[in-house]
Amino acid sequence: MNPRYMDIKIDTSRTYQFHALPNKASGKIFLAGLLLLITARSSAQTFSSQSSATFPNPTFNARNVVADFDDDGDADILFQTGGNGTAFSYARSNGNGTFTTVAQGSSPFAGLTLPDATAYGIYRTADFDGDGDIDVWVVANSSTGTYFRNDGSSFSSQSSATFPNPTFNARNIHADFDGDGDTDILYQTGGNGTAFSYARSNGNGTFTIVAQASSPFAGLTLPDVAAYGTYRTADFDGDGDIDVWVPANSATGTYFRNDGSSFSSQSSATFPSGLFNARNVEGDFDTDGDTDILYQTGGNGTAFSYARSNGNGTFTIVAQGSSPFAGLTLPDVAAFGTYRTADIDGDTDIDQWIPVNAATGTYFMQDGNPLPLVWLNVNAVFLNNQVSISWKTADEQNTSHFNVERSTDGVLFNNIGQKASSNSAGEHQYSFNDKLVQPGYTYYYRLKQVDIDGSYNYSAIHRVNIPGQRAAAMKVRDNPVRSDLVVAVTLPEAQQIRLVLVNAAGVTVLERREKPSAGETFITLQSSHLATGAYYLVLYAGRNKLRTTLIKQ
């Protein structure tokens, strides 16, 4: 067999999509240096209406927060039972689209004084300290608010002294804007027309506040942040990082694309133009790795349309009847954004819950292929100079094995090991040790569960920070590369380095020697003349040899 070629068996019962861009939901196959990304999905991804009998029924539909608070892979719900000053309760997901509701005292938030959950959704859920689980920040007017850190099995109250203190609590947006694995905060300092500032996460639950001009949004004219949170953060172009869309009434709004180290203003011509800017819901509703938009075209009682992402920052608009929500009666989208998108049933795709006042609301489950097992837990911890990955499953059917996959950016994953599955009823415990980790680096881990027939699904991603001083690091600023190649090289001290670019055939096409200073240096390689395709970039720095894969467009 020629080592440069291999046969791929295609299952004709499935639809396969081939991408030239990396994304978090794709499987990956490396062929003689050529990066080929394959996404397998069912041919008709749809939603169905399911019972919401066990969901919360708070007095006010906007006073709830949905996230995976106990880090078991499915979404739980923290909710205030009534108006200001009333008690909180906690709906713990059973991992199958049902919930068990308990008092706050029996939840991960036991013992905490929780601020009122106002209509504008001032509870912000994200990984604020960069340890891979969901924390909570409750924003307050002209104050740094309240910060609850997730300590694993419970939350604790921590100092919010370095968090932003905007005049109005709803005028902020949080996401990993700089792609370093923790959550930053963009916020408007006052009312309409006032300046924006940027709280850059230090990766430990604290922030450094800088002006917009010193942030990834430098040079952009940012629209005002409306009270209803009209800024939408998601991967709209399918390249694995967070973009920003600001919808507007009766217009397609403003689209800021994340180009790696900065954002740029791009055409929003194909985005939705609903009558009201807050009546839209974003999510990967067709499980192809990029973000789609479900939106109500007008006011109450009007039709819904669906903007299907083309995976490149553009959309194709179709009627609801041609979307994954075909045949469903969709409730009106209230101004406060009452549609909740999360993995409610623990099967790794996005479901929808629409809460209503004093009722359990409406639950739409995404009907993907049934999982061949139940994920009970997945953990990754640094211990004894290695990362220990452990996981527990139940009720395995037709399962073959688990691939342990690792990434240094949370987007591109490589297989580092394999464990055979038990393929039987009952609970099963597995473990794997990754000894090839470097001090000062952050690694991301996930499990790829493979069935006997070759189909697969992924576990949640877990992040592990390795203590110590890192040696050398390299990152391509814009990947895919559209013109010249810009490389960010980080060194602990000034030293001689060599950069080598190798094509898919193993031929060196570019080589560059430099002696950068300590810290981060951007090096530009003239590569606009190179053919499109996959390449390896190799950095030689002292005893370090680092390699990354890039795509030239």
Side-chain angles (χ1 to χ4, degrees):
M1 177 179 178
N2 190 327
R4 294 183 59 189
Y5 297 91
M6 67 178 291
D7 295 325
I8 301 176
K9 182 179 180 181
I10 299 296
D11 181 355
T12 56
S13 68
R14 291 170 172 257
T15 295
Y16 290 85
Q17 293 186 328
F18 294 85
H19 302 270
L21 300 177
N23 66 61
K24 294 179 181 177
S26 299
K28 301 164 182 66
I29 299 178
F30 291 83
L31 304 179
L34 175 64
L35 179 62
L36 175 66
L37 297 107
I38 300 178
T39 300
R41 63 183 178 92
S42 57
S43 58
Q45 201 74 15
T46 61
F47 285 75
S48 63
S49 182
Q50 302 291 327
S51 171
S52 64
T54 62
F55 282 66
N57 59 347
T59 302
F60 301 107
N61 61 1
R63 293 187 178 237
N64 59 78
V65 194
V66 181
D68 183 10
F69 296 117
D70 53 10
D71 199 29
D72 62 352
D74 44 42
D76 312 294
I77 306 172
L78 175 69
F79 64 101
Q80 192 165 15
T81 54
N84 287 351
T86 58
F88 280 76
S89 288
Y90 182 77
R92 179 180 292 111
S93 174
N94 298 321
N96 59 1
T98 67
F99 292 85
T100 299
T101 298
V102 298
Q104 179 190 336
S106 299
S107 80
F109 297 90
L112 297 176
T113 300
L114 299 176
D116 293 315
T118 64
Y120 299 137
I122 56 168
Y123 274 60
R124 307 300 196 221
T125 58
D127 182 13
F128 290 113
D129 58 358
D131 64 351
D133 51 28
I134 294 296
D135 310 296
V136 176
W137 175 44
V138 190
V139 196
N141 291 339
S142 301
S143 166
T144 59
T146 306
Y147 169 43
F148 299 122
R149 186 184 67 198
N150 191 332
D151 297 326
S153 59
S154 63
F155 285 74
S156 63
S157 182
Q158 301 292 324
S159 172
S160 65
T162 63
F163 281 68
N165 59 347
T167 303
F168 300 107
N169 59 7
R171 293 187 179 241
N172 58 80
I173 311 103
H174 62 284
D176 183 11
F177 296 118
D178 54 10
D180 63 351
D182 44 41
T183 301
D184 313 294
I185 305 171
L186 175 69
Y187 64 101
Q188 194 164 15
T189 53
N192 287 351
T194 57
F196 280 75
S197 288
Y198 182 78
R200 179 179 293 114
S201 173
N202 300 321
N204 58 1
T206 67
F207 293 84
T208 299
I209 308 293
V210 299
Q212 179 191 336
S214 299
S215 80
F217 297 91
L220 297 176
T221 300
L222 300 176
D224 292 316
V225 183
Y228 301 142
T230 50
Y231 274 57
R232 307 302 196 215
T233 57
D235 181 14
F236 290 111
D237 58 359
D239 64 351
D241 52 29
I242 294 295
D243 311 295
V244 176
W245 173 48
V246 190
N249 292 341
S250 302
T252 58
T254 306
Y255 169 44
F256 299 122
R257 186 185 68 198
N258 191 331
D259 297 325
S261 59
S262 63
F263 284 75
S264 62
S265 182
Q266 301 292 326
S267 172
S268 64
T270 62
F271 279 69
S273 57
L275 183 62
F276 300 108
N277 61 4
R279 291 185 180 242
N280 54 78
V281 192
E282 294 76 35
D284 183 11
F285 300 121
D286 52 11
T287 65
D288 63 352
D290 45 40
T291 300
D292 313 294
I293 306 171
L294 175 70
Y295 66 101
Q296 193 164 15
T297 54
N300 287 350
T302 58
F304 280 75
S305 288
Y306 182 78
R308 179 180 291 113
S309 173
N310 299 321
N312 59 1
T314 66
F315 293 84
T316 299
I317 307 294
V318 299
Q320 180 191 335
S322 299
S323 80
F325 297 91
L328 296 177
T329 301
L330 300 176
D332 293 316
V333 183
F336 301 139
T338 51
Y339 273 58
R340 307 302 194 221
T341 58
D343 180 14
I344 292 171
D345 57 359
D347 63 353
T348 73
D349 54 29
I350 295 296
D351 309 297
Q352 291 273 7
W353 173 49
I354 303 96
V356 297
N357 291 342
T360 58
T362 304
Y363 169 41
F364 297 127
M365 180 183 73
Q366 189 169 168
D367 301 318
N369 295 322
L371 290 179
L373 54 74
V374 177
W375 293 101
L376 295 180
N377 61 61
V378 180
N379 293 296
V381 296
F382 179 71
L383 185 66
N384 297 327
N385 295 318
Q386 62 185 9
V387 173
S388 177
I389 304 102
S390 60
W391 62 101
K392 190 175 184 180
T393 69
D395 300 331
E396 296 182 9
Q397 301 178 45
N398 301 316
T399 58
S400 171
H401 62 273
F402 300 89
N403 288 342
V404 181
E405 298 186 348
R406 187 182 76 178
S407 170
T408 56
D409 60 7
V411 179
L412 290 173
F413 283 82
N414 292 318
N415 183 17
I416 61 171
Q418 188 177 106
K419 288 282 186 178
S421 60
S422 298
N423 191 27
S424 60
E427 296 185 357
H428 307 286
Q429 186 75 46
Y430 303 89
S431 64
F432 178 88
N433 293 325
D434 179 16
K435 300 178 180 180
L436 300 178
V437 294
Q438 299 295 324
Y441 280 85
T442 297
Y443 296 95
Y444 300 83
Y445 295 89
R446 72 181 183 188
L447 298 169
K448 181 179 179 180
Q449 182 273 312
V450 183
D451 294 348
I452 293 173
D453 65 1
S455 58
Y456 58 86
N457 73 86
Y458 290 108
S459 72
I461 296 173
H462 289 259
R463 170 181 170 158
V464 179
N465 297 318
I466 309 301
Q469 181 68 38
R470 67 170 55 191
M474 169 183 63
K475 186 175 182 181
V476 177
R477 190 172 68 177
D478 297 318
N479 190 8
V481 178
R482 296 177 175 87
S483 57
D484 288 333
L485 170 61
V486 180
V487 186
V489 175
T490 304
L491 300 172
E493 60 184 4
Q495 60 179 298
Q496 187 74 37
I497 67 167
R498 182 162 62 100
L499 288 167
V500 179
L501 187 65
V502 181
N503 65 16
V507 177
T508 298
V509 295
L510 282 176
E511 185 169 342
R512 177 83 164 268
R513 295 179 184 270
E514 293 277 349
K515 189 175 181 179
S517 302
E520 187 175 57
T521 302
F522 288 95
I523 300 173
T524 301
L525 301 178
Q526 303 297 323
S527 56
S528 57
H529 64 286
L530 295 177
T532 59
Y535 293 83
Y536 288 126
L537 180 64
V538 185
L539 168 67
Y540 296 90
R543 296 182 178 180
N544 294 288
K545 178 182 177 182
L546 305 176
R547 187 176 75 169
T548 188
T549 304
L550 60 92
I551 303 295
K552 175 67 170 60
Q553 289 188 338

